[in-house]
């Protein structure tokens, strides 16, 4: 199975499919279609039913039940795109067989990776230090397709209807926007989009973006005294008044944060873009109110409406929608244990398509893929753990089919 997973995974990650937040089209990049077409051909070769790749790059298919008993239809979901944070062009993976537990040099760069010691003896796949790897979430795509292939080759494993779904633009928060629930008739699903071995996630951040804009007054600097108002100066001062310790680099676990992601400007107009994250719904609202109140205070101090804020919510914590379906979580835990994996219930310090889908009526917790250090040049994954992810998916269907 390892060779099958490795070949499949590498064929995906060598296609550049980064999403692009600046493009409002769906998908936001055509590279995602290249991955989708490849996966579609694989599903066709496996003779799945109802295979549809639509104009927005959502791919769905069905592995029909082989069970005489009535079994709930379930689904598995992953995304085609990789993050725009780091280059995904010309991904050149390194294969490290029988990892010796020591530091790894990444390609010809000066970057050095120290993988988890627990992976000693594993086969690791890393970057060459110039791009991200793309395990987020092409590992999930490869694991789902491989699990389906395994079930087809082992008809003695009885299962119900299994829907598979693959989405574009998850990394820019749009993966569930046009998800075709009419084609995906599962009672519940699992996104396969997590991290290290054993992760099971059904809590995620409440998320929003906030754009704070500053209007200045531009005039020739030689005649600027008492007239010029430099919007960049306003923006810089505004950011210094944000909570210094409530940022990603100072928080973990269930801590929320403000994160300045972009800034641009000139004398006349400047803009700060933040993301707002918090697990607790009340605190999430307080963070939004904090920004709104700060803008109001600034305008009073300036004596004019020179600052404005626009806040847009992205997704909510799926806990409210998933925690009431304990059997879905128990099934995943049992499947992991049957694969020799100890479940680790952890909060997602981010979001998945599953968060949005859970609010759209499809409860959707998140399973591990085996990836580490997502969205950057230090990203890597264990092929052995990918095999365990496939086994977990197979076990979920095996357990459900035998109930």
């Amino acid at each position: 199975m390892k060779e099958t997973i490795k070949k499949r995974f590498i064929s995906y990650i060598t296609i550049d499919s980064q999403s692009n937040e600046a493009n409002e089209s769906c998908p936001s990049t055509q590279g995602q279609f290249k991955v989708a077409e490849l996966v579609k051909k694989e599903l066709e070769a496996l003779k799945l039913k109802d295979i549809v790749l639509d104009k927005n790059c959502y791919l769905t298919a069905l592995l029909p039940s082989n069970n005489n008993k009535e079994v709930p239809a379930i689904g598995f979901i992953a995304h085609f795109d990789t993050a725009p944070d780091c280059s995904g062009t010309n991904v050149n993976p390194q294969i490290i067989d029988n990892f010796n537990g020591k530091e790894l040099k990444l390609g010809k760069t000066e970057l050095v990776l120290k993988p988890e010691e627990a992976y000693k003896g594993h086969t690791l796949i890393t970057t060459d230090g110039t791009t991200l790897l793309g395990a987020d979430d092409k590992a999930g795509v490869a694991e789902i397709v491989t699990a389906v292939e395994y079930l087809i080759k082992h008809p003695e494993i009885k299962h119900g209807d299994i829907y598979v779904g693959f989405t574009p633009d998850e990394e820019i928060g749009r993966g569930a926007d046009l998800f075709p629930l009419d084609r995906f008739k599962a009672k519940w699903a699992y996104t396969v989009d997590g991290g290290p071995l054993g992760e099971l996630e059904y809590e995620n951040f409440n998320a929003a973006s906030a754009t704070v804009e500053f209007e200045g007054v531009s005039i020739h600097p030689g005649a600027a005294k008492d007239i010029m108002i430099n919007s960049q100066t306003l923006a810089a001062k505004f950011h210094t008044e944000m909570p210094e310790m409530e940022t990603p680099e100072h928080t973990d676990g269930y801590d929320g944060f403000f994160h300045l992601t972009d800034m641009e400007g000139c004398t006349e107009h400047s803009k700060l873009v933040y993301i707002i994250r918090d697990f607790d719904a009340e605190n999430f609202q307080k963070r939004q109110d904090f920004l709104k109140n700060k803008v109001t205070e600034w305008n009073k101090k300036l004596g004019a409406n020179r600052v404005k804020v626009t806040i847009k919510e992205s997704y909510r914590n799926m806990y409210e929608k998933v925690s009431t379906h304990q059997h879905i979580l128990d099934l995943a835990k049992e499947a992991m244990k049957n694969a020799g994996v100890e479940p680790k219930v952890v909060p997602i310090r981010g979001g998945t398509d599953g968060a949005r889908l859970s609010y759209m009526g499809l409860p959707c917790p998140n399973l591990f893929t085996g990836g580490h250090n997502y969205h950057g040049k230090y990203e890597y994954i264990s092929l052995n753990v990918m095999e365990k992810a496939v086994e977990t998916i197979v076990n979920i269907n095996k357990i459900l089919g035998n109930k």
Side-chain angles (χ1 to χ4, degrees):
M1 186 187 290
K2 282 182 188 173
E3 283 303 311
T4 300
I5 299 170
K6 181 172 75 171
K7 182 179 178 181
R8 182 167 279 140
F9 177 60
I10 290 175
S11 73
Y12 299 163
I13 63 175
T14 50
I15 300 172
D16 187 353
S17 63
Q18 289 181 280
S19 45
N20 178 10
E21 192 167 16
N23 186 356
E24 295 296 328
S25 300
C26 181
S28 63
T29 55
Q30 289 303 301
Q32 296 178 72
F33 262 122
K34 293 180 181 179
V35 184
E37 291 285 0
L38 176 56
V39 176
K40 180 173 180 279
K41 287 179 182 177
E42 292 181 312
L43 300 182
E44 289 170 343
L46 293 171
K47 294 183 168 49
L48 266 65
K49 305 297 182 184
D50 302 334
I51 301 171
V52 178
L53 175 58
D54 63 31
K55 66 180 181 179
N56 297 118
C57 202
Y58 288 82
L59 174 61
T60 55
L62 167 67
L63 177 61
S65 173
N66 66 353
N67 207 320
N68 293 326
K69 295 189 296 185
E70 188 173 332
V71 180
I74 64 172
F76 297 88
I77 298 168
H79 61 89
F80 293 128
D81 64 316
T82 59
D85 308 62
C86 177
S87 174
T89 304
N90 298 322
V91 172
N92 182 31
Q94 294 186 148
I95 311 298
I96 313 298
D97 291 316
N98 194 23
F99 170 55
N100 62 11
K102 297 179 180 179
E103 291 182 343
L104 299 173
K105 191 170 183 297
L106 298 180
K108 297 178 181 179
T109 72
E110 298 301 315
L111 302 183
V112 175
L113 173 68
K114 184 65 173 74
E116 299 283 328
E117 284 190 22
Y119 291 152
K120 189 173 182 178
H122 285 217
T123 297
L124 302 184
I125 304 177
T126 76
T127 76
D128 69 352
T130 64
T131 69
L132 50 67
L133 183 64
D136 183 11
D137 183 30
K138 290 171 183 174
V141 179
E143 289 158 1
I144 291 170
V145 176
T146 304
V148 167
E149 181 179 26
Y150 185 90
L151 288 167
I152 291 170
K153 289 181 176 179
H154 293 80
E156 71 277 9
I157 300 175
K158 300 303 176 184
H159 58 81
D161 283 346
I162 302 170
Y163 287 89
V164 295
F166 306 100
T167 68
D169 293 337
E170 190 271 356
E171 295 291 0
I172 56 174
R174 304 181 204 158
D177 283 5
L178 300 173
F179 191 88
L181 285 171
D182 58 326
R183 304 196 316 251
F184 199 87
K185 297 178 169 54
K187 297 295 184 183
W188 70 86
Y190 300 91
T191 49
V192 186
D193 191 18
L197 178 68
E199 280 192 355
L200 173 62
E201 300 160 321
Y202 59 96
E203 297 178 81
N204 62 278
F205 278 136
N206 295 294
S209 62
T211 302
V212 187
E213 296 179 83
F214 303 83
E215 293 298 329
V217 176
S218 180
I219 191 171
H220 190 285
K225 183 173 171 55
D226 299 328
I227 301 174
M228 177 185 285
I229 300 175
N230 193 328
S231 73
Q232 297 169 107
T233 303
L234 297 180
K237 288 181 178 177
F238 184 95
H239 183 63
T240 63
E241 294 184 7
M242 295 294 288
E244 182 181 356
M245 301 305 291
E246 295 180 27
T247 59
E249 58 267 40
H250 295 296
T251 54
D252 62 6
Y254 285 91
D255 299 330
F257 59 73
F258 298 97
H259 177 40
L260 178 63
T261 60
D262 294 282
M263 56 194 300
E264 61 181 62
C266 60
T267 302
E268 195 163 69
H269 182 83
S270 293
K271 180 169 69 173
L272 302 177
V273 180
Y274 294 90
I275 59 172
I276 306 170
R277 300 290 188 265
D278 210 295
F279 285 95
D280 182 82
E282 184 176 343
N283 288 339
F284 180 55
Q285 186 59 53
K286 286 180 178 178
R287 289 185 183 281
Q288 296 183 55
D289 292 342
F290 172 85
L291 269 179
K292 292 175 183 176
N293 292 338
K294 178 165 283 297
V295 167
T296 299
E297 291 169 7
W298 265 65
N299 284 329
K300 286 182 179 178
K301 181 170 63 175
L302 293 170
N305 291 327
R306 296 199 171 278
V307 188
K308 71 174 183 178
V309 61
T310 305
I311 297 176
K312 181 181 178 182
E313 290 196 8
S314 305
Y315 50 81
R316 305 287 296 198
N317 190 342
M318 74 169 88
Y319 179 82
E320 179 183 335
K321 299 297 182 182
V322 176
S323 60
T324 56
H325 300 278
Q326 189 61 43
H327 65 287
I328 301 175
L329 305 171
D330 291 341
L331 178 59
K333 291 176 184 177
E334 184 180 353
M336 288 186 195
K337 288 177 180 178
N338 289 354
V341 175
E342 185 60 35
K344 299 174 183 175
V345 177
V346 295
I348 309 172
R349 287 184 62 79
T352 69
D353 284 336
R356 291 272 307 280
L357 291 170
S358 294
Y359 278 86
M360 292 163 64
L362 182 69
C364 202
N366 193 36
L367 304 176
F368 70 94
T369 65
H372 288 258
N373 303 339
Y374 286 158
H375 298 192
K377 297 173 183 177
Y378 290 95
E379 188 180 357
Y380 73 97
I381 195 164
S382 162
L383 198 56
N384 303 61
V385 177
M386 293 181 76
E387 193 174 21
K388 288 296 183 182
V390 172
E391 194 175 344
T392 297
I393 296 169
V394 169
N395 286 347
I396 287 172
N397 290 286
K398 184 189 295 186
I399 295 165
L400 194 60
N402 288 330
K403 285 196 179 225

